[in-house]
Amino acid sequence: MNNPAIIVVAYNRPDSLNRLLVSLQTASFSSDSIQLIISIDGGENERVKDIATEFQWSHGSKEIICHWNHLGLKQHVFYCGDLTQKYGNIILLEDDLMVSPYFYQFAVNALEFYKDVTEIAGLSLYQYEITENGFFPFVPIDDEYSTYFMQVPSSWGQAWTAQQWEGFKQWLTAHEKRTESLLPQYVKQWPETSWKKIFFKYLIDTDRYFVFPRQSYTTNFGDPGTHADRQGLFQISLSMESPSVLLAPFMKFCTRYDAWFELLPECLKHRAPNLGNTSLTVDLYGTKDLDTINSEFILTTRRSTQAEQSFGMKMIPAMQNVIHDVPGNKINLTRKKFVIDEPLPRHFYYYQTASIHENIYNDLIANKATDMGATVFNKMKNDMEFQQKNPKLLVITPVYDQVSADDIQQITSTCSYPNLKYVVLDLSNPQIELNLPGEIEHFRDKIENLGPAIDDIITDVNPEMIMIVHTGAQILSQTAMIAAEVFTKCQDIQWLNGMGISGLREDQCRWSRTRLQSLSNQNINDSLRFSNVIFKRHLWETTKDNILMNSSFTEFHLWLEFAKHTELRTIDRPFTDVHQANNEPLHQYASPDNDNISDAQSLPHPFIRRLLSFVLYPGYRFRIPLIRTIYAELNRIPPLLHWDEQRQICYPEW
């Protein structure tokens, strides 16, 4: 096999070119007959030509090609690729790269190994750590080999045999105008001046792949230029050791990725027999267009209203969670029709990994915001003002038995709050079939304990306010607005219940922290029913460790933990209209006829306080102003909140 020629593509970056040439000079070569070609596009910077001319190449002969006309990067790369007709195998390097000392050794070995494999269209010297479809971290699944395959053309250090380049040129002659319908969305957005966009078409249309190393033999500085605007984003550690000769053979179940940086389904199912023979599309980055997916099932990080299987997100790479059947609900195997087609949040889990430096990501966002100018700023400002005025309310309805879609929709039918997320938590067995509108999410979970399932939903939705409402209850029209007003204006209030439930008197709806901390299943009443309490996420996050330690999840356990941290405030409005519930309550509620004198008497006050509480309780119960104030102070009952219907504000009674 002949020694591959090294071709450097240069234009107007003199410092970049000098850096690349220095790294080439210090690299390791097994021969002193290596051909170096420096191809300089027309309209070049004079310094570029001077650097190329003055550079001393000690490993063979050097040739400088200066083009009279400006070709542009696409035609320049095509010109350099055509040099395979003269030199045979070539290694192509753009001027903003730096090479590993062992890049040439790897290229020679790999070009020889794959030269007769028709499915291979080229060789990459670069190993991705960040995808190009959204800048997500990328870690290929590990195996015993030093290479793997992707349907992604490499542009940051690549090599071709003469046969591989000729195959591309023959296809290009016949299919250059071929439709872009099969291209990933991120590639479609590239300009027509991109040679890589055309090579993507070639790979997908002919089902061919590039060979990629698991260690990178080039790194990309991304220096500013005609087609570069992300300086430093694709920097990667260079391999500083002699490459392994254990190259991966191209066979049915070898490690192969598609144009979206997703592992191919047949490769995944070979490693994850728990998936069976399901016809599926892999979409862990959540970037594939659902309209172009033909398989019945999708393995995705997008949310699903009805997942067949679910997996956690604890291992890296993410696919390991599926292979090892890690429990959780971050990755869903679901039918296509149940996928919630929402863009995957950038913060979801990708940027929690160390493979992307925070400053790089922040710089990208800042640059984009600067480019888009006032439009972006105003949108961000409006979104922030909207969230401040209308904090997100999460309504969760747990269901255990068969219910109808009408029962579910009735719960929020009169609530027109603009920032409401409604989730039906399906804990039934067998599974319930519900035909719900798109704004209601059907969350299926195999967790028997309600607490962890609710915690997963809260984590996903990221609300400010939370209600747990069973079927048979209907949220009143102003409930969300009242809660938003209270929590926004009174930052110290963390949870809130309403009056007017099931005929309970005011004194039966108001609770001191002492009385709450002495709760039991016998003395709880309907004023503390789930559907009559709204709490803030901050309170949940503060107390959930203890809450989730319990084997059961009831109002009694939840309120007991809440009371350890802050007092419950009561407002003179009910939150829901409760009808006959379709689900069994989580426990038996006390009768509304029971007085609460025993609670007042049992407070750990000195004897005089207990005596005064006993004497004053009738005045408190029957709302005699002065007496009720004294009684409330004695028993540390928080002031009642009043809602002014006309002015749409709340205020305490004293």
Side-chain angles (χ1 to χ4, degrees):
M1 179 181 183
N2 69 315
N3 292 325
I6 301 172
I7 303 176
V8 173
V9 178
Y11 175 42
N12 62 354
R13 296 184 284 197
D15 294 335
S16 301
L17 175 62
N18 186 65
R19 181 178 57 219
L20 171 59
L21 294 177
V22 170
S23 70
L24 286 172
Q25 178 63 30
T26 57
S28 174
F29 298 95
S30 59
S31 169
D32 288 332
S33 58
I34 310 299
Q35 181 71 37
L36 173 65
I37 300 100
I38 304 174
S39 179
I40 306 175
D41 199 0
E44 77 279 1
N45 184 305
E46 283 300 320
R47 280 193 62 213
V48 171
K49 186 175 180 180
D50 291 343
I51 288 172
T53 303
E54 295 168 5
F55 174 67
Q56 299 298 313
W57 176 243
S58 61
H59 303 287
S61 60
K62 180 185 75 172
E63 179 184 354
I64 300 175
I65 301 174
C66 294
H67 299 274
W68 289 102
N69 299 319
H70 178 60
L71 302 176
L73 183 60
K74 173 181 169 182
Q75 293 303 324
H76 197 177
V77 170
F78 285 176
Y79 171 87
C80 293
D82 288 340
L83 292 177
T84 53
Q85 298 174 9
K86 178 179 179 181
Y87 297 105
N89 301 335
I90 65 169
I91 298 171
L92 191 68
L93 302 169
E94 293 189 26
D95 56 8
D96 62 342
L97 303 178
M98 177 183 283
V99 298
S100 156
Y102 299 100
F103 86 99
Y104 199 80
Q105 183 180 339
F106 169 75
V108 168
N109 293 340
L111 286 169
E112 176 66 20
F113 187 83
Y114 294 107
K115 67 180 180 179
D116 296 323
V117 182
T118 57
E119 293 87 355
I120 300 304
L123 167 69
S124 175
L125 302 177
Y126 180 85
Q127 151 63 9
Y128 280 98
E129 282 189 352
I130 302 173
T131 71
E132 292 191 79
N133 63 327
F135 312 124
F136 303 131
F138 174 74
V139 181
I141 205 81
D142 205 3
D143 58 26
E144 59 187 303
Y145 300 108
S146 61
T147 55
Y148 62 98
F149 309 95
M150 283 208 298
Q151 210 158 54
V152 175
S154 176
S155 60
W156 299 323
Q158 62 268 26
W160 287 290
T161 66
Q163 293 79 10
Q164 289 165 353
W165 184 259
E166 181 60 26
F168 166 66
K169 290 305 290 287
Q170 289 178 2
W171 173 90
L172 184 63
T173 301
H175 301 94
E176 183 174 7
K177 302 300 183 182
R178 193 170 182 85
T179 176
E180 297 182 0
S181 60
L182 296 180
L183 287 177
Q185 186 61 37
Y186 73 99
V187 179
K188 290 180 182 178
Q189 295 172 353
W190 293 351
E192 294 306 313
T193 55
S194 169
W195 74 267
K196 193 172 178 178
K197 183 175 184 178
I198 296 177
F199 219 98
F200 256 113
K201 291 184 189 180
Y202 171 58
L203 295 181
I204 295 173
D205 192 46
T206 61
D207 197 25
R208 283 179 166 83
Y209 296 82
F210 255 63
V211 179
F212 279 81
R214 293 187 180 274
Q215 292 182 305
S216 193
Y217 297 95
T218 59
T219 188
N220 177 12
F221 281 78
D223 297 325
T226 305
H227 291 268
D229 65 351
R230 296 189 172 95
Q231 189 169 8
L233 179 59
F234 293 102
Q235 270 284 3
I236 188 171
S237 176
L238 285 173
S239 175
M240 291 298 171
E241 59 184 24
S242 183
S244 167
V245 295
L246 196 59
L247 304 175
F250 191 91
M251 48 189 188
K252 184 176 181 181
F253 297 122
C254 60
T255 302
R256 281 182 290 157
Y257 288 81
D258 62 20
W260 290 261
F261 293 79
E262 304 280 7
L263 189 65
L264 294 190
E266 57 266 31
C267 304
L268 170 61
K269 288 186 283 188
H270 179 68
R271 294 167 169 80
N274 53 314
L275 297 178
N277 293 320
T278 307
S279 171
L280 61 88
T281 296
V282 180
D283 184 38
L284 291 197
Y285 289 119
T287 59
K288 292 186 177 179
D289 185 351
L290 292 180
D291 293 335
T292 64
I293 294 176
N294 297 320
S295 63
E296 182 180 5
F297 289 90
I298 304 177
L299 184 71
T300 182
T301 46
R302 299 180 190 184
R303 287 180 292 172
S304 167
T305 60
Q306 191 171 319
E308 300 289 325
Q309 296 184 54
S310 295
F311 309 92
M313 185 68 77
K314 298 181 180 179
M315 299 183 71
I316 297 175
M319 193 59 72
Q320 293 281 22
N321 296 280
V322 179
I323 294 172
H324 296 288
D325 203 8
V326 174
N329 61 358
K330 301 298 185 184
I331 302 174
N332 297 308
L333 176 63
T334 178
R335 294 180 188 273
K336 174 182 172 181
K337 63 181 180 180
F338 295 132
V339 173
I340 299 176
D341 189 13
E342 295 177 347
L344 197 65
R346 286 289 186 267
H347 65 272
F348 179 59
Y349 76 93
Y350 303 105
Y351 290 104
Q352 294 176 8
T353 68
S355 58
I356 292 185
H357 194 284
E358 181 181 1
N359 290 341
I360 294 176
Y361 181 59
N362 288 340
D363 288 345
L364 282 175
I365 296 301
N367 290 338
K368 290 296 181 184
T370 301
D371 292 342
M372 297 180 72
T375 303
V376 172
F377 174 78
N378 289 333
K379 184 178 185 305
M380 293 170 60
K381 179 173 177 288
N382 292 337
D383 289 346
M384 184 179 297
E385 290 176 348
F386 175 81
Q387 293 292 339
Q388 289 176 343
K389 184 178 180 181
N390 306 286
K392 183 183 290 186
L393 171 64
L394 169 63
V395 177
I396 302 174
T397 295
V399 293
Y400 302 89
D401 302 310
Q402 288 293 331
V403 295
S404 68
D406 290 341
D407 293 331
I408 298 297
Q409 294 183 65
Q410 178 189 3
I411 292 176
T412 58
S413 61
T414 63
C415 184
S416 58
Y417 188 64
N419 198 9
L420 183 145
K421 180 68 174 179
Y422 186 20
V423 179
V424 176
L425 174 55
D426 183 358
L427 300 170
S428 62
N429 189 13
Q431 188 172 343
I432 296 173
E433 293 292 337
L434 286 174
N435 184 19
L436 296 173
E439 66 270 15
I440 302 179
E441 182 175 339
H442 186 183
F443 184 91
R444 174 70 180 168
D445 205 309
K446 298 178 182 178
I447 302 174
E448 294 182 359
N449 189 347
L450 184 61
I454 287 179
D455 185 52
D456 285 342
I457 295 173
I458 292 173
T459 300
D460 283 346
V461 176
N462 193 28
E464 289 294 323
M465 311 181 295
I466 302 161
M467 286 187 77
I468 303 171
V469 184
H470 287 278
T471 54
Q474 184 178 53
I475 300 175
L476 299 180
S477 60
Q478 288 192 308
T479 294
M481 182 183 66
I482 292 173
E485 174 73 13
V486 171
F487 290 140
T488 301
K489 300 295 176 61
C490 307
Q491 297 291 325
D492 59 320
I493 298 179
Q494 296 291 309
W495 58 317
L496 187 68
N497 75 327
M499 281 174 42
I501 298 294
S502 304
L504 291 177
R505 301 184 305 269
E506 176 192 320
D507 59 292
Q508 293 173 310
C509 296
R510 296 173 65 183
W511 297 77
S512 67
R513 288 181 68 180
T514 306
R515 192 172 149 216
L516 282 169
Q517 291 171 9
S518 64
L519 272 179
S520 69
N521 282 338
Q522 284 70 44
N523 65 9
I524 196 171
N525 64 35
D526 278 0
S527 71
L528 295 180
R529 181 186 287 272
F530 271 137
S531 57
N532 193 49
V533 176
I534 303 178
F535 55 92
K536 294 176 73 170
R537 181 185 179 179
H538 174 75
L539 183 57
W540 170 265
E541 296 294 343
T542 303
T543 59
K544 72 175 183 181
D545 288 345
N546 291 334
I547 294 169
L548 299 180
M549 288 174 59
N550 288 314
S551 57
S552 61
F553 184 89
T554 65
E555 291 97 329
F556 164 65
H557 294 106
L558 192 58
W559 308 154
L560 200 62
E561 289 299 327
F562 283 6
K564 293 177 182 178
H565 289 79
T566 185
E567 60 190 14
L568 170 66
R569 299 297 295 269
T570 304
I571 194 164
D572 60 350
R573 289 287 186 278
F575 290 158
T576 55
D577 183 12
V578 180
H579 307 290
Q580 181 63 36
N582 292 320
N583 292 333
E584 288 296 320
L586 299 184
H587 61 264
Q588 296 298 318
Y589 293 91
S591 166
D593 294 331
N594 292 344
D595 283 340
N596 292 312
I597 298 177
S598 59
D599 297 305
Q601 290 176 321
S602 64
L603 290 172
H605 293 317
F607 173 75
I608 296 177
R609 281 196 167 189
R610 293 201 303 271
L611 179 61
L612 283 173
S613 294
F614 182 79
V615 171
L616 295 174
Y617 178 72
Y620 171 73
R621 172 176 171 175
F622 293 104
R623 308 186 70 173
I624 299 174
L626 180 60
I627 295 177
R628 73 192 244 110
T629 301
I630 296 173
Y631 180 87
E633 286 289 343
L634 279 172
N635 290 276
R636 298 187 177 91
I637 300 174
L640 180 68
L641 297 174
H642 294 284
W643 177 252
D644 188 321
E645 190 73 36
Q646 184 174 1
R647 293 188 294 166
Q648 300 285 286
I649 60 171
C650 66
Y651 58 92
E653 64 176 341
W654 66 77

